[in-house]
Amino acid sequence: IDDLRPEALASGSDLIQTPSIDRIAARGTVFDRAYCQQAVCSPSRSSLMTGRRPDATRVWDLDTHFRTALPDAVTIGQYFKSHGYFVQGMGKIFHGGFDDPPTWSTPWQVPKVPPYASAEARAMLAGKRHRDAKGRARGPATEAADVPDDAYLDGQVARLAVRTLGELKRRGEPFFLAVGMAKPHLPFVAPKRYWDLYDRERIYVPASGELPRGAPAFSGHSNGELRSYADVPKQGPIPTDVARRLRHGYYASTSYMDAQIGVMRDALERERLDDRTVVVVWGDHGWQLGEHGLWHKHTNFELAVRSLLVIRVPGQRSPGRRSLSLAELVDVYPTLADVCGLPPPAGLDGVSLRPILDDPAATVREVAVSQYPRAGRETGGRRLMGYSIRDPRWRFTAWRDRDDGTIVARELYDEQDDPHETVNLADRREHADVVRRLTAHVPAFQSVPARTGNARP
């Protein structure tokens, strides 16, 4: 799932309605502290599919294929294929045009569907008056057209997945099926009935539009992705009415996407595959909806790097439980190999989460590590990498110069007593021991050639 914040499965919350994911969670394990490797699509997806961190894949941006640095990498699909599985993918799995043919037994598929359903939005897009930084035409940030589910991409991908499940059942061999949902990624488009699930006037909008007190300015960004859409102000704070509309659109897009998961889940049961199929629901990273004045991902803050992760294994010992144990998306690859009874894959950075599936209180990690690069005018010309270390209570981020290895800035947030990350505590004497302990988990310095590694906000 693209750009889904785990708030959709917040314990005891019906803020965002996701009954289909809830249904899977009721028979599996919800990882409430699962974190991506980098809060942007391609690095995160490359890491999950290879089981390697961004500093190994050398994917820190949206322009690099992981096989440039790791030509012999064995993706999760290749690994299952080598053990007799038929491996098929559809929708967004790798980022954008970065498919990886060796991963699949049959070519990857994605239906061709216009991004908007209404004539007004399509006319705006065709007019090409509004373009993003790459010169691509942009339409509005939201749309609530009165159309059927398959008028948008996710509806068609889900129906393709349903047909594929029937074909895989007839093949009668083990299969690995990867299905990528595009929503709730911008633009927030969904059939009107999903917008009608929510009362816009009751939707919360964060009051604070400021970065945490004491945080470096480059810990945030300029909201460039959001501002590229035609109906969003190009400068200044996002007005409250616009923010509320955007949040409404995000909620509606999430519920629409969830309904497509329900379509696939029903097909799995109808084909009588449910009781012998492992199901994983994962988001490539979180998403900021105006917190700290930030929209979308591209940071090391908790809301950006915390990801949705639900794993359901038939016959697991503790179904329907939530776990606060730390996990990373890089752990999905070794976990699937483990629960499917395959030999442990070699050379991965992740660890199996199977102990947590059996006992939600079990731990497999002391910390979870995420990262994000910064460069350019906002950093005074320095190329930085922010390594963010999360333990059960604290989030510590060290900003390291990628040319000489020096740490130029630090952030520390108390996720227990200050869950909204309002104050950077890194320079306070009483937290020196915490900073020292978590600094020990910052990855070793690696010099990076100047031509690579500058992710675009």
Side-chain angles (χ1 to χ4, degrees):
I1 304 171
D2 206 344
D3 287 5
L4 181 65
R5 53 197 268 162
E7 177 180 61
L9 273 182
S11 180
S13 171
D14 60 357
L15 180 63
I16 303 180
Q17 297 180 38
T18 55
S20 300
I21 300 177
D22 293 345
R23 185 173 155 206
I24 296 171
R27 296 178 59 192
T29 299
V30 178
F31 290 81
D32 280 326
R33 288 180 180 164
Y35 297 92
C36 70
Q37 272 39 77
Q38 187 176 321
V40 67
C41 299
S42 193
S44 175
R45 291 163 182 267
S46 297
S47 285
L48 183 138
M49 294 295 288
T50 63
R52 305 298 306 276
R53 299 184 184 279
D55 284 355
T57 65
R58 316 300 274 182
V59 178
W60 303 286
D61 56 31
L62 301 180
D63 301 317
T64 305
H65 197 292
F66 68 87
R67 292 209 182 272
T68 302
L70 297 177
D72 299 321
V74 177
T75 66
I76 186 171
Q78 284 178 284
Y79 189 74
F80 273 80
K81 190 167 60 171
S82 72
H83 286 85
Y85 283 69
F86 186 85
V87 179
Q88 189 165 350
M90 56 194 60
K92 184 175 179 180
I93 306 299
F94 295 99
H95 177 69
F98 289 156
D99 183 29
D100 184 58
T103 293
W104 316 112
S105 302
T106 188
W108 165 81
Q109 294 176 276
V110 59
K112 300 296 183 183
V113 185
Y116 299 99
S118 69
E120 296 83 359
R122 290 183 182 183
M124 184 182 294
L125 195 64
K128 299 182 179 180
R129 291 181 54 194
H130 304 280
R131 296 178 180 272
D132 64 13
K134 281 190 167 183
R136 298 171 298 194
R138 289 291 198 190
T142 63
E143 179 183 77
D146 192 3
V147 294
D149 285 12
D150 60 3
Y152 295 115
L153 177 61
D154 283 353
Q156 294 205 17
V157 169
R159 283 146 186 79
L160 174 60
V162 168
R163 295 194 297 272
T164 301
L165 281 170
E167 295 166 2
L168 293 171
K169 172 69 177 296
R170 289 189 288 275
R171 292 182 69 95
E173 59 185 318
F175 66 84
F176 180 106
L177 178 62
V179 183
M181 296 282 98
K183 295 303 155 191
H185 192 290
L186 279 164
F188 303 144
V189 300
K192 179 179 179 297
R193 64 182 160 278
Y194 297 102
W195 288 75
D196 292 343
L197 294 173
Y198 303 95
D199 179 353
R200 185 177 299 185
E201 295 308 312
R202 299 181 63 185
I203 291 176
Y204 165 79
V205 175
S208 174
E210 304 295 328
L211 291 176
R213 191 163 68 250
F218 53 74
S219 64
H221 54 64
S222 62
N223 294 318
E225 181 180 352
L226 177 67
R227 294 184 191 278
S228 69
Y229 286 86
D231 55 351
V232 177
K234 305 307 176 198
Q235 296 180 341
I238 303 298
T240 298
D241 61 330
V242 176
R244 188 167 280 114
R245 171 172 60 86
L246 291 168
R247 278 189 160 241
H248 190 179
Y250 185 88
Y251 294 1
S253 297
T254 299
S255 292
Y256 162 66
M257 173 276 302
D258 178 79
Q260 311 321 304
I261 288 181
V263 168
M264 294 183 283
R265 185 71 175 76
D266 289 345
L268 200 64
E269 292 183 353
R270 192 167 53 249
E271 298 292 347
R272 298 183 179 178
L273 293 166
D274 185 54
D275 290 337
R276 51 196 176 99
T277 302
V278 177
V279 177
V280 179
V281 184
W282 62 283
D284 53 0
H285 40 67
W287 224 81
Q288 293 148 154
L289 284 168
E291 295 87 359
H292 296 144
L294 300 171
W295 294 81
H296 39 90
K297 52 270 186 182
H298 309 299
T299 75
N300 279 319
F301 293 123
E302 181 82 359
L303 284 172
V305 298
R306 183 168 164 248
S307 303
L308 179 77
L309 180 61
V310 181
I311 302 178
R312 197 223 72 178
V313 178
Q316 69 182 82
R317 295 179 189 172
S318 301
R321 302 279 297 278
R322 311 180 75 95
S323 176
L324 291 176
S325 300
L326 294 164
E328 299 181 0
L329 294 188
V330 78
D331 299 333
V332 170
Y333 185 162
T335 301
L336 284 180
D338 190 358
V339 299
C340 291
L342 304 184
L348 303 188
D349 294 326
V351 296
S352 175
L353 301 173
R354 186 171 189 171
I356 302 173
L357 298 175
D358 293 333
D359 176 9
T363 59
V364 298
R365 289 190 171 281
E366 184 178 355
V367 298
V369 182
S370 304
Q371 62 188 96
Y372 207 91
R374 287 282 190 260
R377 185 170 55 188
E378 60 190 354
T379 64
R382 304 181 81 166
R383 299 183 314 126
L384 307 180
M385 180 65 77
Y387 291 100
S388 196
I389 315 299
R390 179 64 153 94
D391 76 359
R393 177 171 179 174
W394 304 92
R395 172 167 298 287
F396 171 71
T397 301
W399 291 94
R400 170 176 279 161
D401 190 302
R402 305 177 84 187
D403 294 310
D404 61 22
T406 57
I407 293 178
V408 304
R410 301 178 302 175
E411 300 173 68
L412 179 69
Y413 303 104
D414 186 341
E415 302 294 343
Q416 175 180 291
D417 293 342
D418 182 23
H420 299 295
E421 297 174 328
T422 63
V423 181
N424 176 13
L425 304 171
D427 293 332
R428 297 195 179 182
R429 184 177 305 172
E430 62 268 31
H431 300 307
D433 288 343
V434 175
V435 169
R436 188 179 305 110
R437 174 173 58 83
L438 296 180
T439 298
H441 293 282
V442 174
F445 170 61
Q446 297 183 47
S447 179
V448 177
R451 66 179 180 278
T452 66
N454 296 327
R456 296 186 308 276

